[in-house]
Amino acid sequence: MTLNLNEIENRTITDKIIEFFLKCPLIDDKSPISADYIGDEIGTYSVDGSPSETILKTYVDGSTERQLIFDFTSRESVEAYNNEKNITFYEKLAEWVETQNNEGVLPELSYPLIAEQIKVLTHGYVEQMSANKAIYVIQMKLVYTKIAE
């Protein structure tokens, strides 16, 4: 599938966050990352929007500082030997996000949006569990500016 320039420029913020996470060395490049959907198979990921206030500040020129609160989720095995691996993955993911933020490596948003900060809000935790699978979640926040046009 080929995308033309307009399709690339009109990608959603969530798409840009997914692109950001696809660069993470902890995530297998064969593992899909979806938007607002987690598959049934172990090793699938999703970026899911969370309800929150969007506009944080409005500037004199009409530009706004905004936020998108989102959950990064995964379906994982919860066999006894995997629990430590799952916890370690989310600790390292949080460290990776913090490092990227500190180095100014942020999701590449399309004009008139400019990413300012990506921040981890919670540690990774189990949100839902079945007999041998669990959905793990870590909540994050993307702060960005929308330039007035």
Side-chain angles (χ1 to χ4, degrees):
M1 174 168 100
T2 12
L3 296 175
N4 68 37
L5 187 57
N6 282 341
E7 289 170 328
I8 292 170
E9 289 176 357
N10 291 324
R11 309 272 317 265
T12 66
I13 295 171
T14 300
D15 288 337
K16 299 296 188 166
I17 291 170
I18 290 170
E19 288 175 9
F20 172 78
F21 281 107
L22 286 171
K23 297 173 187 169
C24 177
L26 301 168
I27 296 172
D28 182 350
D29 60 359
K30 294 178 184 98
S31 296
I33 302 177
S34 302
D36 291 329
Y37 171 79
I38 188 77
D40 287 333
E41 291 158 28
I42 291 170
T44 55
Y45 303 98
S46 182
V47 172
D48 311 320
S50 281
S52 66
E53 182 178 2
T54 303
I55 298 175
L56 302 174
K57 282 184 204 168
T58 302
Y59 298 101
V60 183
D61 70 352
S63 297
T64 52
E65 182 179 73
R66 298 170 176 243
Q67 69 178 354
L68 175 68
I69 306 292
F70 65 93
D71 297 331
F72 183 92
T73 63
S74 67
R75 186 170 304 276
E76 304 292 347
S77 169
V78 288
E79 309 286 326
Y81 61 89
N82 262 349
N83 290 345
E84 185 65 32
K85 180 180 153 195
N86 297 337
I87 292 166
T88 300
F89 170 80
Y90 275 94
E91 287 177 356
K92 290 189 177 297
L93 182 65
E95 288 174 16
W96 181 82
V97 169
E98 290 167 6
T99 299
Q100 298 307 296
N101 182 67
N102 292 342
E103 293 176 358
V105 180
L106 303 169
E108 296 174 15
L109 305 181
S110 299
Y111 185 84
L113 308 178
I114 301 168
E116 303 291 344
Q117 176 186 70
I118 190 164
K119 186 175 181 180
V120 176
L121 301 178
T122 66
H123 64 281
Y125 61 92
V126 175
E127 181 178 76
Q128 183 181 21
M129 189 179 297
S130 65
N132 62 348
K133 295 179 187 175
I135 294 177
Y136 279 77
V137 175
I138 188 169
Q139 192 168 66
M140 301 186 198
K141 170 172 72 171
L142 175 68
V143 176
Y144 62 98
T145 299
K146 182 175 183 182
I147 298 171
E149 295 188 77

